[in-house]
Amino acid sequence: MREPDVNAIREYWDAHTLGMQYVKDLSLEPGSAAFFAHIRQWMNPYKFPWIMERIEREAARLRGRHLLEIGCGMGFDSLEFLRRGVRVTATDLTPNAVRLAARHFELEGVRAESVHTENALSLSFPDETFDAVWSNGVLHASGDTRRAVAEARRVLRTGGRAIISHFYRKPSWMYLLSRWGREPIEHGSEDPPVNEFYRDEEILSFFEGFRVEEAVREHHRAIPVSKTGVKAALYTYGFAPLYNLLPERIALTLAYKLSVTAVRV
Ligand SMILES: C[S@@+](CC[C@H](N)C(=O)[O-])C[C@H]1O[C@@H](n2cnc3c(N)ncnc32)[C@H](O)[C@@H]1O
């Protein structure tokens, strides 16, 4: 397999930290309290209620324990763990995300163990460092998903939990839309260099050396997007209302995301 171009991935995400595409008021200073409040409704875990439920469930188990977040972006997920008494090391590939996440925690009056850059494909931590690894919407964009899951396993203690949300799945409504529309409807004007869609069984095959506790299809309804323009209008007024008429059972077969919780054995 070809080595992933981590520099291209880093460059893209450094210029497009998740959340920047939702800023409608360009006078807001990135990293200010007003800035975070402005984009909050579009961010994990507020946009996706199942992510907040997962944080609450996991935080209740992990209170006082040490969780690593891989690909923290602006730190909204880590913030919720910190608020619930979990010790958090928050990491991302890009300096901009790390800067924003650190500022975010400072503004919210919470303290992480560390906030720094890390590459999911070669983490700097010794084996068996963490009680849990949390990663949301990241590993399929890392350049080598299998290796990233193996790295998460390496840094987990035996019995430690990998909570990896939002792998992109196929077939799914977003897979079809992004193929027909030539871009995922969620991103800004430019797509990330890597954004793999996988079949459920491929995703589960990444979890070697784990006992999978839960694998759940999520995002099986088309929800509002903040993007504007012709494609977004077609999505909002054409595709979404029609798609959302599908019965639950059928919509679930076309769910956009698969989230996996697995225990290191
Ligand atoms: C879609 S964003 C998700 C951010 C955050 N988890 C959230 O939900 O707001 C993907 C993130 O993964 C990070 N990322 C991509 N490849 C990575 C890698 N190899 N190692 C660590 N982080 C990576 C990007 O920098 C970006 O912040």
Side-chain angles (χ1 to χ4, degrees), residues 6 9-10 12-14 16-19 43-45 69-77 91-94 97 117-123 134-144 148 166 168 187 192 195:
V6 174
I9 296 172
R10 184 185 294 107
Y12 173 87
W13 284 111
D14 210 34
H16 301 86
T17 308
L18 194 83
M43 302 301 291
N44 286 298
E69 178 164 13
I70 300 176
C72 64
M74 294 192 196
F76 284 92
D77 291 8
T91 67
D92 197 278
L93 187 61
T94 72
T117 55
E118 285 282 345
N119 179 359
L121 306 183
S122 51
L123 297 170
W134 173 273
S135 194
N136 184 0
V138 174
L139 302 190
H140 60 267
S142 70
D144 186 341
H166 289 187
Y168 284 9
H187 291 283
N195 234 346

Side-chain angles (χ1 to χ4, degrees), residues 33 36-37 39-40 43-46 51-52 55-56 59 67-69 71-91 100-115 134:
F36 290 121
I39 60 173
R40 188 178 190 274
M43 302 301 291
N44 286 298
Y46 318 103
I51 294 292
M52 188 60 107
I55 289 175
E56 276 167 2
L67 172 142
L68 168 68
E69 178 164 13
C72 64
M74 294 192 196
F76 284 92
D77 291 8
S78 274
L79 173 65
E80 294 300 334
F81 278 105
L82 286 163
R83 282 180 171 153
R84 289 165 176 75
V86 179
R87 291 168 52 219
V88 172
T89 290
T91 67
L100 285 163
R103 177 78 188 120
H104 199 178
F105 301 158
E106 191 186 328
L107 281 170
E108 294 290 337
V110 292
R111 191 188 288 266
E113 303 292 308
S114 174
V115 189
W134 173 273

